[in-house]
Amino acid sequence: MRNFVLFAAMSLIWGLTWAAIKVGLGDLPPLLLAAARYLLAAALLAIGVRGAGAAFAEGRARPTIVSALLVNTGTYGLLFWGMQHVPSGLSGLVNLTLIPVLLFALAALTGEERPTWHHAVVLAIGCVGVIGLFWARLGPGPMRAALGSRRSSPRP
């Protein structure tokens, strides 16, 4: 029962995060909101987590700051920008779906992972699943609206 309660609490907190971001976008630009959110989180972690200062020790400050800016502010700034135009639930789903795909691609590009056919199969299954979730949105109606109609009026 304890695990169920913890899981429910985690799910509620995670779900409310997306709603809070959507509300925050009503008052702040996306990059500023992302930066402020992660600066606040970093300050709270630095205060509350023993040893958090090690990330800034012995010449690690610059890589830590650059990584934080790229990963948190950059990535989430783009995500928050997108959330101005799509529902927050959809944003969360796309974000969590693409994280493993893009991290694997980065690891393969940097030589930290050697792609195999197993990777290709798993990534293909994941992509098919995401396409399945969005299939109704990919139909001719939304595509026509996104691309603009070639005809100015419907044929009789």
Side-chain angles (χ1 to χ4, degrees):
M1 184 65 170
R2 178 177 181 260
N3 286 341
F4 176 77
V5 170
L6 291 173
F7 179 76
M10 179 196 66
S11 298
L12 180 66
I13 291 168
W14 186 78
L16 289 175
T17 297
W18 296 100
I21 293 166
K22 197 70 169 178
V23 170
L25 287 171
D27 296 323
L28 295 173
L31 285 175
L32 180 60
L33 179 61
R37 179 178 186 226
Y38 285 99
L39 281 172
L40 177 63
L44 292 173
L45 285 172
I47 293 168
V49 176
R50 188 181 332 201
F56 298 96
E58 301 174 18
R60 294 184 191 154
R62 185 172 185 206
T64 299
I65 292 169
V66 168
S67 174
L69 288 173
L70 289 173
V71 173
N72 295 325
T73 303
T75 302
Y76 283 92
L78 291 172
L79 178 68
F80 293 4
W81 174 77
M83 285 179 64
Q84 295 176 100
H85 308 286
V86 297
S88 60
L90 181 62
S91 299
L93 180 67
V94 170
N95 177 46
L96 291 177
T97 301
L98 289 178
I99 286 173
V101 173
L102 297 177
L103 285 177
F104 178 74
L106 182 61
L109 286 173
T110 59
E112 293 182 28
E113 281 284 341
R114 205 175 102 228
T116 66
W117 68 271
H118 291 99
H119 293 114
V121 168
V122 170
L123 290 172
I125 290 170
C127 289
V128 167
V130 171
I131 290 170
L133 288 170
F134 297 109
W135 190 254
R137 292 178 183 252
L138 298 175
M143 292 299 277
R144 197 176 306 122
L147 298 174
S149 178
R150 291 185 185 203
R151 295 182 286 174
S152 58
S153 60
R155 293 183 183 175

